[in-house]
């Protein structure tokens, strides 16, 4: 190594940690045959995110504005701390990063591929029971997202970052370190649930209805290798949220459901009101794509 190079131990190398976590934790969970076995890990993951929300709310009342930038070398206040103008909330803010807001929101509420696997794992599956599960899940996630966004913004105002945890700069704060670990655990334990849906979809497309252990293991390993390559070589999750949010998430939330409904009910005259709403939903999805995709591309170019 040259004189300007700094030595980085292998155990703090992010790429090594990603591969290690994948094969030591995620792989065994992904190899489980049924989704029901992941209920306990999903519950613990949700508990970690609730803990994260509680810490964000607590920090809002603990940190004062303006606040001291503890990472500054001259122990002065950060640029955000000069004056109190930056401590006033703005109801509407638009900048170069705002183009990722709608795609990220769309990506956050994409649960459609998991509906059928979850339905099949219900104790007494029925449409009414599945609707109840869906409504409770959506409402709970909306409340968590909303409170996290509100209290995160009201803590740092204009200096808030896309990764909220990066703004808690005191490295000696045990509570912040604990919540970082909790978020990491939550993300790790969420992967197998989403992975189960992807693998099930692949088997359905291939018309593989019977369980074969070798195929199960091979598909799992191949998908995990692809995921690891994406995680290692894509520098920012913002780009993934932007692409997925404007394309597949938009298709799954707006365009495909409304299009299929219009196709199914095109000869049913009693569904006129529902068809109007579906048409508006379809138009909203098309408008979403026409606005978001050019803005994301423009942000990449510039």
């Amino acid at each position: 190594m040259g004189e300007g190079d700094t030595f980085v131990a292998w155990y703090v190398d992010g790429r090594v940690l990603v591969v290690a976590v994948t094969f030591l934790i995620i792989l065994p969970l992904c190899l489980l045959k049924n989704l029901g076995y992941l209920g306990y890990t999903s519950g613990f993951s949700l508990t970690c995110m609730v803990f994260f929300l509680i810490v964000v709310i607590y920090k809002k009342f603990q940190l004062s504005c303006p606040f001291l930038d503890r990472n500054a070398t001259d122990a002065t206040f950060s640029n955000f701390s000069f004056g109190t103008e930056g401590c006033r909330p703005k109801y509407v803010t638009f900048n170069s990063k705002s183009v990722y807001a709608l795609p990220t929101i769309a990506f956050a509420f994409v649960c459609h591929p998991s509906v059928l696997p979850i339905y099949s794992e219900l104790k007494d599956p029925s449409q009414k029971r599945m609707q109840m599960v869906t409504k409770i899940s959506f409402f709970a996630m909306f409340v968590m997202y909303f409170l996290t966004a509100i209290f995160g913004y009201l803590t740092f105002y204009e200096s808030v970052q896309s990764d909220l945890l990066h703004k808690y700069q005191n490295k000696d704060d045990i509570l912040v370190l604990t919540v970082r670990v909790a978020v990491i655990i939550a993300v790790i334990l969420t992967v197998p649930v989403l992975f189960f849906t992807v693998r099930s979809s692949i088997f359905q497309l291939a018309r593989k209805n019977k369980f074969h252990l070798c195929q199960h293991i091979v598909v799992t390993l191949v998908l995990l290798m692809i995921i690891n390559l994406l995680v290692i070589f894509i520098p920012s999750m913002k780009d993934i949220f932007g692409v997925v949010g404007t394309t597949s998430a938009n298709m799954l939330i707006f365009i495909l459901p409304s299009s299929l409904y219009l196709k199914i009910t095109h000869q049913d005259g009693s569904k006129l009101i529902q068809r109007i709403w579906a048409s508006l939903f379809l138009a909203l999805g098309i408008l979403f794509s026409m606005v978001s995709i050019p803005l994301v591309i423009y942000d990449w170019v510039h």
Side-chain angles (χ1 to χ4, degrees), residues 54-65 151 154-155:
I54 294 173
V55 172
V56 171
I57 296 175
Y58 169 74
K59 286 295 181 180
K60 162 65 182 78
F61 299 100
Q62 184 190 45
L63 298 176
S64 60
C65 181
F151 283 94
L154 293 179
T155 302

Side-chain angles (χ1 to χ4, degrees), residues 41-283:
T41 58
S42 298
F44 184 68
S45 173
L46 180 60
T47 303
C48 292
M49 295 311 298
V50 172
F51 173 62
F52 167 70
L53 172 60
I54 294 173
V55 172
V56 171
I57 296 175
Y58 169 74
K59 286 295 181 180
K60 162 65 182 78
F61 299 100
Q62 184 190 45
L63 298 176
S64 60
C65 181
F67 59 90
L68 181 65
D69 186 356
R70 298 179 182 271
N71 286 344
T73 56
D74 56 354
T76 58
F77 286 96
S78 62
N79 292 333
F80 169 67
S81 301
F82 292 120
T84 58
E85 288 296 326
C87 297
R88 296 178 181 177
K90 295 182 178 179
Y91 296 102
V92 178
T93 301
F94 187 83
N95 52 42
S96 61
K97 305 305 178 185
S98 299
V99 299
Y100 293 95
L102 288 178
T104 303
I105 293 174
F107 181 84
F109 284 95
V110 172
C111 63
H112 304 64
S114 303
V115 171
L116 292 180
I118 292 176
Y119 178 84
S120 64
E121 295 292 335
L122 292 178
K123 185 176 182 180
D124 296 315
S126 64
Q127 181 179 354
K128 183 178 180 181
R129 184 180 292 269
M130 190 63 206
Q131 286 179 343
M132 181 183 66
V133 171
T134 304
K135 291 177 181 178
I136 294 175
S137 301
F138 265 92
F139 179 75
M141 291 302 100
F142 171 77
V143 170
M144 291 184 63
Y145 287 143
F146 181 76
L147 292 179
T148 302
I150 291 296
F151 283 94
Y153 173 72
L154 293 179
T155 302
F156 302 106
Y157 297 95
E158 291 183 353
S159 71
V160 69
Q161 296 180 359
S162 57
D163 189 342
L164 185 59
L165 288 176
H166 284 173
K167 291 301 299 180
Y168 299 107
Q169 299 168 344
N170 187 358
K171 297 181 180 180
D172 297 326
D173 192 334
I174 302 300
L175 183 60
V176 172
L177 294 177
T178 305
V179 78
R180 289 179 187 272
V181 174
V183 171
I184 293 174
I185 294 174
V187 173
I188 292 174
L189 296 181
T190 302
V191 172
V193 179
L194 301 176
F195 188 91
F196 181 90
T197 303
V198 174
R199 186 179 55 210
S200 299
S201 300
I202 293 176
F203 285 144
Q204 289 292 332
L205 290 174
R207 300 184 182 276
K208 300 291 184 179
N209 297 323
K210 293 184 179 180
F211 178 79
H212 296 282
L213 182 60
C214 292
Q215 295 178 356
H216 185 81
I217 295 176
V218 170
V219 172
T220 300
L221 290 175
V222 171
L223 289 177
L224 284 178
M225 290 176 60
I226 295 174
I227 293 173
N228 273 265
L229 292 175
L230 292 175
V231 171
I232 291 173
F233 290 104
I234 295 180
S236 175
M237 289 297 295
K238 178 192 68 176
D239 298 328
I240 297 178
F241 290 156
V243 173
V244 177
T246 55
T247 54
S248 61
N250 183 42
M251 292 290 292
L252 289 172
I253 293 178
F254 297 106
I255 297 178
L256 285 180
S258 54
S259 300
L260 292 174
Y261 184 83
L262 292 173
K263 177 66 176 178
I264 294 173
T265 61
H266 73 283
Q267 294 181 344
D268 191 349
S270 63
K271 302 288 186 179
L272 179 61
I273 302 298
Q274 291 85 341
R275 286 178 56 83
I276 293 176
W277 281 108
S279 300
L280 294 176
F281 214 58
L282 177 61

Side-chain angles (χ1 to χ4, degrees), residues 246-247 250-251 255 284-294:
T246 55
T247 54
N250 183 42
M251 292 290 292
I255 297 178
L284 179 62
I286 296 174
L287 179 63
F288 179 86
S289 297
M290 294 175 62
V291 172
S292 298
I293 293 178

